[in-house]
Amino acid sequence: MAIAINPALDLILEREVDVSPEEIWQAWTTPEHLKQWFCPLPWKTVDCEIDLKPGGLFRTVMQSPEGQQFPNSGCYLEVLPNKRLTWTNAMEPGFRPAKIPEQSPGHECAEFMMTASIVLEAIPNGTRYTAYVLHNDAASKQRHEAMGFQEGWSAVLDQLVAVIKQSR
């Protein structure tokens, strides 16, 4: 299934990294691995729960440097091992509609709903890694961009690659 991109609504990060799709998949789908790299330092991911199936739970708890915790939860939409992982905060597990973010303090990116896909393509020296983040309106995309999408998601990818290389 191709991802239809709308430049007015969507953010994309694409890079080539020198680790395999299989290693990246493990880092994204194993809670203990994900907690090591999932948010830009000095923030931390202090808890993670994964039910790796369409309709399954994807939950994290991020912690600020000051110790404030931010629970995030959503639902997996697509799970194609070593190829694509798609989730949304617009749904709860079992494909139940999520509460509107303003009614859900601490909800992921509490200001907006989004759907994200990580697409992994094997290349000769590693992986072409593409993150797509889809928003339902231009204001949500702009808020996410202003939060530092490019810098934050790039830093997280660098951390992911470093953790993989350390564990080899």
Side-chain angles (χ1 to χ4, degrees):
M1 173 164 107
I3 297 173
I5 299 303
N6 179 338
L9 302 176
D10 306 329
L11 297 168
I12 300 170
L13 172 72
E14 182 178 59
R15 289 201 3 226
E16 292 183 2
V17 293
D18 60 350
V19 295
S20 74
E22 294 79 11
E23 291 171 309
I24 295 171
W25 184 262
Q26 279 297 110
W28 264 104
T29 61
T30 307
E32 289 310 310
H33 292 172
L34 188 130
K35 286 169 34 179
Q36 296 177 52
W37 61 266
F38 188 66
C39 39
L41 294 171
W43 285 66
K44 298 182 211 172
T45 303
V46 294
D47 195 19
C48 177
E49 189 176 351
I50 292 175
D51 182 13
L52 193 61
K53 65 183 181 192
L57 174 68
F58 177 42
R59 184 185 68 78
T60 61
V61 177
M62 297 178 188
Q63 183 174 297
S64 73
E66 298 76 33
Q68 188 176 5
Q69 293 192 353
F70 298 88
N72 310 297
S73 68
C75 172
Y76 286 110
L77 302 174
E78 184 177 40
V79 178
L80 300 173
N82 305 317
K83 296 189 183 308
R84 184 174 6 206
L85 188 61
T86 304
W87 70 97
T88 185
N89 66 350
M91 291 183 180
E92 295 176 359
F95 302 110
R96 294 275 173 197
K99 292 182 177 92
I100 297 169
E102 291 77 18
Q103 299 173 348
S104 307
H107 197 271
E108 184 177 37
C109 295
E111 302 171 20
F112 54 84
M113 298 284 189
M114 66 179 198
T115 297
S117 275
I118 302 300
V119 178
L120 308 174
E121 180 187 342
I123 57 174
N125 294 318
T127 304
R128 179 172 293 111
Y129 177 102
T130 309
Y132 299 93
V133 182
L134 314 179
H135 304 85
N136 66 348
D137 59 47
S140 294
K141 175 202 174 190
Q142 290 165 357
R143 279 195 301 271
H144 200 177
E145 214 164 19
M147 288 171 61
F149 169 81
Q150 288 294 332
E151 300 82 7
W153 285 56
S154 286
V156 163
L157 180 56
D158 290 341
Q159 291 168 191
L160 179 152
V161 169
V163 165
I164 288 171
K165 288 180 176 182
Q166 280 180 336
S167 68
R168 285 182 173 164

